Amino acid sequence: MSSINYNELITMLPEIQDDQSKQSKTKAKRQMEDLQHLGMALVELSKAQLAKFNLPESLLTAVLEAKKITANGATRRQSQYIGKLMRKADAVNIQEKLDEINGKHSAAVRKLHECEKWRERLLANDGELNSFVETYTVGDISQLRGLIRQVRKEIIQNKQHNYRKLFQFIREIVEGI
């Protein structure tokens, strides 16, 4: 059997501890960078959206100041400062609310694109009206038919007075307003 040389283990212990501290330092740096990026994501939001976050006063002030800064070096310093303040803030809660805002925004944009596609389909083909009625509950189909006819006539005359009105009507139906 081989014997364990405890003296060798004791001399190797500082090296093992150094390796572990390097990993944790790197991990800590990565976490700080993530907090900094999360803080800078707050800078992109409007003041009304920021009010929903219940941020600490110092962080809110720093975020509002960062919105005003245009110089590259100053932006970087402010970003680092926001990252420092984010260490004291509830980052998990902030990330959840940010995801919620971005998710709602994405869903709203998707709905608008869907409405635009329906408008184009309805204008291109009369048969699409039947599939639209099958897909959505349309209260006044005659009004929709009339709008489609008006928009088709206006397109021929290079006018678009009711083009937007048709979109809004479709949007109300799709969103169930």
Side-chain angles (χ1 to χ4, degrees), residues 42-55:
L42 293 173
V43 174
E44 302 300 320
L45 299 176
S46 67
K47 289 181 182 181
Q49 289 173 324
L50 282 172
K52 297 176 184 175
F53 280 84
N54 297 326
L55 297 173

Side-chain angles (χ1 to χ4, degrees), residues 43-145:
V43 174
E44 302 300 320
L45 299 176
S46 67
K47 289 181 182 181
Q49 289 173 324
L50 282 172
K52 297 176 184 175
F53 280 84
N54 297 326
L55 297 173
E57 188 64 33
S58 58
L59 180 58
L60 181 61
T61 305
V63 168
L64 294 174
E65 285 296 317
K67 287 177 171 289
K68 298 175 188 175
I69 297 173
T70 57
N72 193 25
T75 303
R76 184 183 51 78
R77 284 189 299 276
Q78 190 69 11
S79 171
Q80 290 172 342
Y81 179 62
I82 289 172
K84 179 181 175 184
L85 294 174
M86 285 293 295
R87 295 178 206 159
K88 298 174 187 170
D90 184 9
V92 174
N93 188 25
I94 292 172
Q95 182 65 54
E96 287 174 359
K97 287 184 180 179
L98 197 57
D99 290 342
E100 182 182 313
I101 287 174
N102 290 336
K104 284 183 180 176
H105 179 69
S106 298
V109 169
R110 242 180 280 120
K111 282 282 189 193
L112 291 176
H113 287 297
E114 182 181 348
C115 293
E116 288 173 359
K117 286 178 185 176
W118 271 114
R119 177 178 58 188
E120 297 306 317
R121 288 172 61 186
L122 290 169
L123 290 172
N125 187 0
D126 287 330
E128 292 296 327
L129 184 59
N130 292 332
S131 70
F132 184 76
V133 171
E134 290 172 6
T135 308
Y136 300 102
T137 306
V138 179
D140 190 6
I141 195 166
S142 61
Q143 184 181 3
L144 181 58
R145 270 196 190 104

